[in-house]
Amino acid sequence: MIDIVTIGETMVLFYPFENRPLKYTSLFSKTIAGAESNVAIGLSRLGKNTRWIGRLGKDPFGDMVISTLTSENIDLSKVIRDESDFTSVFFKDMNRFGDPEVFYYRKGSASSKWEPKHVKKDWFEDSRILHMSGITPALGINTLSFTRECMKVAKSLGLTISFDPNIRHKLWTEENSREALLSLVPLSDIFLPGIEEAKFLLGDKPVEQLAKEFISMGPATVAIKLGEEGAFGMSKEGDAYMVPGEKTNNIVDTVGAGDAFATGFLSIVADDPTNFSLMVALSRGNKLGSIVIQEKGDWETLPSLKMIENTPVKSR
Ligand code: CKP
Ligand code: MG
């Protein structure tokens, strides 16, 4: 039984080894990153059976993605290696405020070539949750219809659909992204936007109002991430909770925080997708978000179950 299937683009990531801007750095650290595989890694470390599906080039960077995810005990049996296309790379320009800028080299990559006809039922058989993000629909001409098809097929097979909008303004226009992402919200059961993403989609409104409007579109659960303030969650039964964030003194790199939140949240959902505690899921999400921002790298510091059970909660 697979607890979670994630589908998305995973890239090789370079960030400055020295504390210098990208323009002046001569040494880089090399790792991998991708929102959906970050979640797969995190959930695997928390003891869940996890599958990641992606399209990679038949190139050394694709090999690196495979070897890294293999060492994280992730099922890669459905990954496609494409002879003619390449594995993407991106660079992070670090700054002192923990909020790096990213530069992508991914246009025309293997992942941008996904089409609805690639979706196979056996990706989802004997699985409980599908997690996707709004990055995939931004990648290529047919990747929005591919994302929709994944969600529909998985739903028809009884999976719970989790969706993080992960809006990337560098990948598509505001108009296209708003329209596409709003069209995917009704296909999801669990919707996980950040507060700025929620406002971008529905306008500047109080968080309760935003959650209510998303619930009215279809999802059974909405969790809105509020950064250091924590997270607000609402269910279609009318439960609503504001769970404060955990105190962190040392913010080094906020990239990956949303995926860490999704990891924590979904680790609770996975135990019982139809009857989980929203409050516990929100606080597990906050905990993982606060851990991952304290180091460079998007997933490297994601904890094991044992590690989080031994860390005391520090409320703000
Ligand atoms: O929303 P997050 O900061 O958690 O997402 C981070 C990931 O997939 C990062 O690992 C990067 O590879 C990406 O989002 C992306 O494509 O921007
Ligand atoms: Mg995000």
Side-chain angles (χ1 to χ4, degrees):
M1 178 90 185
I2 298 277
D3 294 305
I4 315 254
V5 179
T6 69
I7 304 173
E9 177 164 56
T10 297
M11 300 168 279
V12 168
L13 160 61
F14 294 89
Y15 56 87
F17 180 74
E18 309 140 294
N19 266 342
R20 291 189 197 166
L22 204 49
K23 185 172 172 189
Y24 301 109
T25 198
S26 52
L27 296 172
F28 289 91
S29 292
K30 174 166 153 269
T31 181
I32 67 155
E36 303 79 6
S37 61
N38 296 343
V39 172
I41 292 170
L43 284 162
S44 177
R45 290 184 181 179
L46 294 178
K48 305 298 176 204
N49 285 327
T50 307
R51 169 178 290 158
W52 174 76
I53 302 174
R55 275 173 80 86
L56 298 165
K58 259 203 167 167
D59 48 22
F61 288 159
D63 293 345
M64 184 187 171
V65 171
I66 294 288
S67 60
T68 309
L69 296 179
T70 301
S71 70
E72 295 291 337
N73 292 319
I74 293 168
D75 177 301
L76 301 176
S77 58
K78 312 296 177 192
V79 171
I80 292 167
R81 302 293 301 271
D82 195 292
E83 291 282 353
S84 45
D85 296 312
F86 61 92
T87 304
S88 295
V89 299
F90 77 116
F91 294 80
K92 262 194 203 178
D93 205 356
M94 307 301 295
N95 65 24
R96 268 173 291 140
F97 315 108
D99 193 16
E101 187 176 2
V102 298
F103 294 89
Y104 300 123
Y105 296 83
R106 66 199 300 186
K107 219 179 187 156
S109 71
S111 308
S112 72
K113 308 287 173 66
W114 279 123
E115 294 180 37
K117 69 175 186 211
H118 295 134
V119 181
K120 301 273 180 303
K121 273 190 173 175
D122 71 1
W123 292 1
F124 309 112
E125 269 156 15
D126 213 18
S127 309
R128 313 178 88 171
I129 298 172
L130 168 67
H131 175 73
M132 293 191 77
S133 95
I135 296 171
T136 303
L139 296 177
I141 300 170
N142 296 310
T143 55
L144 170 59
S145 48
F146 167 77
T147 307
R148 197 173 285 135
E149 184 69 6
C150 289
M151 290 178 162
K152 282 187 179 159
V153 172
K155 205 164 195 157
S156 74
L157 293 168
L159 279 76
T160 297
I161 313 298
S162 159
F163 182 54
D164 178 339
N166 269 340
I167 299 169
R168 299 289 182 258
H169 295 299
K170 287 194 170 177
L171 296 181
W172 49 355
T173 65
E174 291 202 353
E175 214 180 13
N176 289 350
S177 59
R178 190 179 290 110
E179 190 188 331
L181 296 170
L182 284 172
S183 80
L184 295 169
V185 175
L187 295 174
S188 66
D189 300 300
I190 296 175
F191 184 53
L192 303 169
I195 184 69
E196 292 312 321
E197 293 172 324
K199 289 181 178 174
F200 170 81
L201 293 172
L202 296 181
D204 192 358
K205 301 171 188 179
V207 68
E208 295 85 353
Q209 183 61 30
L210 291 164
K212 241 184 226 163
E213 288 187 29
F214 286 125
I215 290 281
S216 74
M217 294 167 74
T221 308
V222 170
I224 302 182
K225 295 160 276 184
L226 305 170
E228 288 184 83
E229 303 306 318
F232 179 84
M234 189 180 273
S235 72
K236 74 167 184 296
E237 287 81 26
D239 295 336
Y241 302 101
M242 168 70 216
V243 178
E246 292 194 18
K247 202 172 162 22
T248 38
N249 300 321
N250 185 31
I251 303 180
V252 175
D253 178 0
T254 55
V255 180
D259 303 330
F261 179 89
T263 301
F265 193 94
L266 293 175
S267 70
I268 300 296
V269 177
D271 290 335
D272 190 350
T274 53
N275 189 28
F276 62 93
S277 160
L278 178 54
M279 203 159 59
V280 175
L282 291 166
S283 74
R284 172 72 70 80
N286 285 344
K287 184 184 259 307
L288 265 66
S290 73
I291 293 173
V292 93
I293 60 178
Q294 299 184 47
E295 297 282 344
K296 283 185 197 173
D298 301 0
W299 54 269
E300 282 82 346
T301 51
L302 284 167
S304 66
L305 201 51
K306 204 162 156 210
M307 281 159 75
I308 44 176
E309 279 166 359
N310 291 337
T311 323
V313 175
K314 293 184 229 135
S315 290
R316 290 169 58 76

